[in-house]
Amino acid sequence: MLKPCYLLILFLAVFNIAAQSQNQVSDPDPLRFEKELDVFAQWDKKNSSPEEAILFVGSSSIKGWETHLAFPDLPIINRGFGGSHISDVNFFYQKVIKKYNPRLIVFYAGDNDIAAGKPVKRVFDDYQKLTDRILSDNPNTRFLFISIKPSGSRLDKWNDMNEFNQQVDEYNQLNERLFYIDLATPLLNSEGRPDHNYYLDDQLHLNNQGYDIWNQSIGTELHNLFR
């Protein structure tokens, strides 16, 4: 029988291997979005973007959001690219954020990161890197993080996603230019589970009803932060 000290060593070894394995999840290749980013660039060459706009940026929840129709009285730029991680937004930072010099950034990402197996700490580190760059580059820009939404297809990851939401909320409260809005709770049913009526058949992406809920929940916040 192994002595207690050897059992402890064995436990620590197994724990370290598991932790290292979790942290070895690689960032996906950001260049998979080159064509999509080229489309943004071509559009910018042919069209003028509003100055000091509200920039919506992030993953598919941003891409699928008809922000111009939802907020017609506000100067909106949408640069969502579906499937993206926060690491991708960091990689393309110059192209999807800095060049637009936005007054307000509305951000949704982290969902895909955690679903891919990245630890919460690593995703949060990527988030801090992003917000640090934004706050440093433009002293007048405000930043609004939309909480990761619960979805039926990713319920097994919800504890980690919710932990990430809580960490971001606490972190944003430390800076007067960082804000957090809970758009997860309005999507829950009376039992506290994702309401399938707000999602497409994949039970991951929002349908029109889901976006209507978001529009109603965030509208006042946008106008207050953009003042």
Side-chain angles (χ1 to χ4, degrees):
M1 180 178 293
L2 292 175
K3 295 182 179 179
C5 61
Y6 291 119
L7 287 173
L8 177 61
I9 292 172
L10 180 61
F11 170 79
L12 292 175
V14 171
F15 178 82
N16 286 333
I17 290 172
Q20 290 172 8
S21 175
Q22 189 180 35
N23 280 288
Q24 285 173 357
V25 176
S26 299
D27 288 334
D29 182 4
L31 297 182
R32 70 194 187 284
F33 291 114
E34 265 193 315
K35 291 183 179 179
E36 195 160 355
L37 270 290
D38 285 344
V39 171
F40 292 156
Q42 292 301 317
W43 194 97
D44 288 340
K45 284 182 181 179
K46 299 175 182 178
N47 303 274
S48 60
S49 297
E51 296 183 4
E52 296 190 334
I54 299 177
L55 174 66
F56 282 74
V57 65
S59 56
S60 56
S61 291
I62 296 293
K63 181 179 180 178
W65 198 344
E66 295 182 330
T67 48
H68 288 84
L69 298 178
F71 314 106
D73 59 327
L74 295 172
I76 301 289
I77 302 172
N78 190 309
R79 288 298 176 264
F81 45 115
S84 57
H85 293 207
I86 299 177
S87 58
D88 296 312
V89 179
N90 277 324
F91 184 86
F92 290 113
Y93 173 79
Q94 298 285 341
K95 294 183 177 181
V96 298
I97 293 182
K98 187 174 181 179
K99 68 176 292 185
Y100 298 109
N101 191 31
R103 190 194 304 183
L104 172 63
I105 295 170
V106 181
F107 185 73
Y108 182 96
D111 194 330
N112 296 316
D113 316 46
I114 293 173
K118 291 182 181 179
V120 172
K121 182 182 183 305
R122 182 167 154 201
V123 182
F124 185 69
D125 286 346
D126 286 340
Y127 176 79
Q128 286 184 294
K129 290 176 185 176
L130 178 64
T131 53
D132 284 349
R133 293 175 78 177
I134 291 169
L135 296 178
S136 175
D137 282 347
N138 193 328
N140 298 314
T141 296
R142 292 176 170 180
F143 183 94
L144 175 63
F145 177 84
I146 295 175
S147 60
I148 296 178
K149 67 183 185 301
S151 57
S153 64
R154 291 179 172 174
L155 275 182
D156 61 321
K157 297 290 186 178
W158 177 239
N159 286 339
D160 284 346
M161 291 177 179
N162 194 39
E163 180 184 343
F164 177 73
N165 284 339
Q166 292 174 7
Q167 288 188 17
V168 171
D169 187 15
E170 292 172 3
Y171 179 75
N172 285 12
Q173 291 181 42
L174 301 177
N175 191 297
E176 62 181 9
R177 291 165 54 204
L178 299 179
F179 300 86
Y180 175 95
I181 185 167
D182 174 17
L183 295 190
T185 301
L187 299 174
L188 299 176
N189 61 23
S190 59
E191 298 176 350
R193 298 176 64 84
D195 190 327
H196 70 274
N197 292 307
Y198 298 142
Y199 293 82
L200 297 175
D201 290 342
D202 61 8
Q203 290 300 300
L204 175 60
H205 300 97
L206 296 179
N207 59 21
N208 290 336
Q209 286 180 276
Y211 279 117
D212 284 344
I213 293 294
W214 273 19
N215 295 337
Q216 295 167 19
S217 301
I218 201 175
T220 300
E221 187 79 359
L222 288 183
H223 285 84
N224 287 340
L225 292 178
F226 190 66
R227 67 184 187 276

